[in-house]
């Protein structure tokens, strides 16, 4: 990474290049957008002088990885066009190689955190759950009306809305193009890269009364697409069109719905479009529960 090997003449240019890359790539942009919400981002950061000897300072660094990364990002952004002040500041910490000292303390920590988050494989999951919240809070009436106007093409129309959302989130060309040995995914991203992502979309309820069998079919498709592309994760997004509550009885009790099947993990995202009743009225709705054993049988 160029920033790590910078000198006083190239540091500003290389930090600008790094920040531009982080903001232009949809995966890294998602991560740093989260970091900007952390309380340690853009603080009035300071250090505490502990004694009279040069370099005897306390950097007041956060104890958690996310907070540390958020602080690192804010410092990079603060000094990107004023690296002379940055160098002078860290010269107070260490006389020899203040740029190297700064990079070891902050730049490397930021990149290590980003690498860790990418390895976790949950960036796409974050975006899909953000889409779920967006639909349920702001867009479900419009989507339901669009579905009701053309129920025959309903699944295609709702998938198109998901594609449009992903495109607006910075995912370029989220379309279904190629076939795999198991069929054609509803939505695919990055087919020309070494790390493609395939996602299956299914409906539940609605005018055509899509049922649990249709969900099971989608689960198997998501699994096989993950297998075809040699991915650890698969994704199944379900639009719940009926007023029944769709629930899953899964072995995994994490916040995100997921099923481990073979050596793959399939994430389930349920977008409820037609549950408009109040909390008290919801008690009278039928709760359709899909067991994990049913999905994997």
């Amino acid at each position: 990474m160029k920033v790590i090997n910078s000198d006083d003449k190239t540091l500003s240019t290389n930090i600008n290049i790094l920040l531009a890359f982080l903001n232009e790539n949809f995966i890294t942009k998602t991560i740093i957008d989260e970091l900007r919400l952390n309380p340690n981002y853009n603080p009035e950061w300071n250090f505490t002088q502990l004694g009279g000897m040069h370099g005897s300072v306390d950097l007041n660094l956060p104890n958690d990885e996310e907070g540390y990364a958020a602080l690192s990002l804010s410092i990079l952004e603060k000094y990107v066009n004023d690296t002379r002040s940055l160098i002078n500041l860290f010269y107070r910490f260490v006389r020899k190689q203040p740029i190297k000292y700064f990079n070891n303390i902050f730049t490397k920590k930021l990149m290590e955190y980003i690498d860790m988050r990418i390895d976790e494989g949950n960036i796409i999951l974050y975006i899909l759950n953000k889409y779920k919240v967006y639909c349920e809070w702001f867009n479900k009436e419009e989507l339901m009306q669009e579905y009701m106007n053309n129920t025959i093409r309903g699944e295609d129309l709702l998938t198109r809305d998901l594609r449009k959302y992903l495109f607006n989130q910075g995912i370029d060309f989220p379309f279904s193009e190629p076939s795999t040995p198991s069929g054609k995914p509803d939505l695919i991203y990055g087919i020309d890269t070494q790390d493609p992502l395939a996602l299956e979309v299914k409906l539940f309820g609605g005018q055509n009364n899509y049922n649990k069998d249709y969900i099971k079919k989608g689960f198997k498709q998501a699994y096989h697409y993950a297998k075809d592309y040699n991915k650890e994760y698969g994704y199944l997004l379900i639009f719940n069109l009926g007023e029944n509550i769709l629930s899953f009885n899964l072995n995994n009790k994490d916040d995100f719905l997921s099923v481990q099947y073979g050596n793959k993990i399939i994430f389930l995202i349920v977008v409820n479009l037609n549950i408009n009743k109040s909390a008290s009225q919801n008690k009278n709705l039928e709760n359709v529960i899909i067991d994990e054993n049913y999905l994997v049988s």
Side-chain angles (χ1 to χ4, degrees), residues 90-107:
F90 280 86
Y91 182 78
R92 299 178 64 181
F93 298 165
V94 54
R95 289 184 183 274
K96 292 184 178 180
Q97 298 182 306
I99 295 176
K100 181 178 180 180
Y101 181 76
F102 161 75
N103 282 327
N104 285 335
I105 296 295
F106 293 110
T107 309

Side-chain angles (χ1 to χ4, degrees), residues 19 22 31-32 34-36 38-43 61-77 105-117:
L19 293 176
L22 295 178
I31 297 172
I32 64 174
E34 286 186 77
L35 290 178
R36 291 188 177 110
N38 188 284
N40 289 284
Y41 173 76
N42 202 26
L61 299 175
N63 294 322
D64 63 295
E65 292 178 331
E66 181 178 325
Y68 198 155
L71 173 61
S72 301
L73 175 64
S74 68
I75 291 175
L76 280 168
E77 292 181 338
I105 296 295
F106 293 110
T107 309
K108 283 186 176 180
K109 289 297 182 180
L110 174 62
M111 299 313 297
E112 287 171 359
Y113 176 81
I114 291 174
D115 286 343
M116 179 189 71
R117 288 293 311 279

Side-chain angles (χ1 to χ4, degrees), residues 147-162:
Y147 167 76
M148 295 300 295
N149 288 341
N150 192 346
T151 58
I152 295 176
R153 295 189 58 243
E155 190 165 288
D156 290 338
L157 293 172
L158 293 175
T159 302
R160 185 183 65 178
D161 183 79
L162 173 59

Side-chain angles (χ1 to χ4, degrees), residues 250-266:
L250 307 177
N251 294 330
N252 183 11
K253 304 302 181 183
D254 291 343
D255 292 337
F256 296 123
L257 299 174
S258 67
V259 175
Q260 181 155 358
Y261 185 43
N263 62 344
K264 309 297 180 186
I265 296 175
I266 310 302

Side-chain angles (χ1 to χ4, degrees), residues 91-260:
Y91 182 78
R92 299 178 64 181
F93 298 165
V94 54
R95 289 184 183 274
K96 292 184 178 180
Q97 298 182 306
I99 295 176
K100 181 178 180 180
Y101 181 76
F102 161 75
N103 282 327
N104 285 335
I105 296 295
F106 293 110
T107 309
K108 283 186 176 180
K109 289 297 182 180
L110 174 62
M111 299 313 297
E112 287 171 359
Y113 176 81
I114 291 174
D115 286 343
M116 179 189 71
R117 288 293 311 279
I118 292 174
D119 288 342
E120 287 176 354
N122 62 4
I123 303 304
I124 290 295
L125 183 62
Y126 167 80
I127 296 176
L128 293 175
N129 276 280
K130 187 177 175 182
Y131 174 72
K132 165 185 167 67
V133 174
Y134 170 75
C135 289
E136 293 177 354
W137 280 69
F138 305 109
N139 202 34
K140 63 182 178 181
E141 289 84 5
E142 290 82 355
L143 289 179
M144 276 302 301
Q145 188 60 55
E146 188 170 5
Y147 167 76
M148 295 300 295
N149 288 341
N150 192 346
T151 58
I152 295 176
R153 295 189 58 243
E155 190 165 288
D156 290 338
L157 293 172
L158 293 175
T159 302
R160 185 183 65 178
D161 183 79
L162 173 59
R163 290 194 189 112
K164 181 172 68 174
Y165 180 86
L166 294 178
F167 183 82
N168 289 335
Q169 292 295 305
I171 300 180
D172 295 332
F173 306 110
F175 304 108
S176 178
E177 293 290 346
S179 296
T180 76
S182 302
K184 192 173 182 179
D186 286 318
L187 189 148
I188 193 165
Y189 165 75
I191 188 59
D192 295 326
T193 72
Q194 295 181 341
D195 193 30
L197 174 141
L199 180 145
E200 186 65 16
V201 175
K202 284 290 180 277
L203 307 183
F204 183 76
Q207 292 295 308
N208 295 316
N209 198 28
Y210 294 100
N211 58 20
K212 294 195 295 184
D213 290 342
Y214 199 54
I215 303 302
K216 180 176 181 177
K217 177 182 177 182
F219 176 84
K220 292 295 180 65
Q221 288 173 310
Y223 166 76
H224 285 295
Y225 296 145
K227 192 174 179 181
D228 291 343
Y229 285 110
N230 194 29
K231 300 288 292 181
E232 182 179 357
Y233 304 108
Y235 301 88
L236 171 62
L237 187 138
I238 304 159
F239 288 101
N240 181 12
L241 305 170
E243 291 196 347
N244 293 328
I245 299 171
L246 179 60
S247 302
F248 291 88
N249 181 25
L250 307 177
N251 294 330
N252 183 11
K253 304 302 181 183
D254 291 343
D255 292 337
F256 296 123
L257 299 174
S258 67
V259 175
Q260 181 155 358

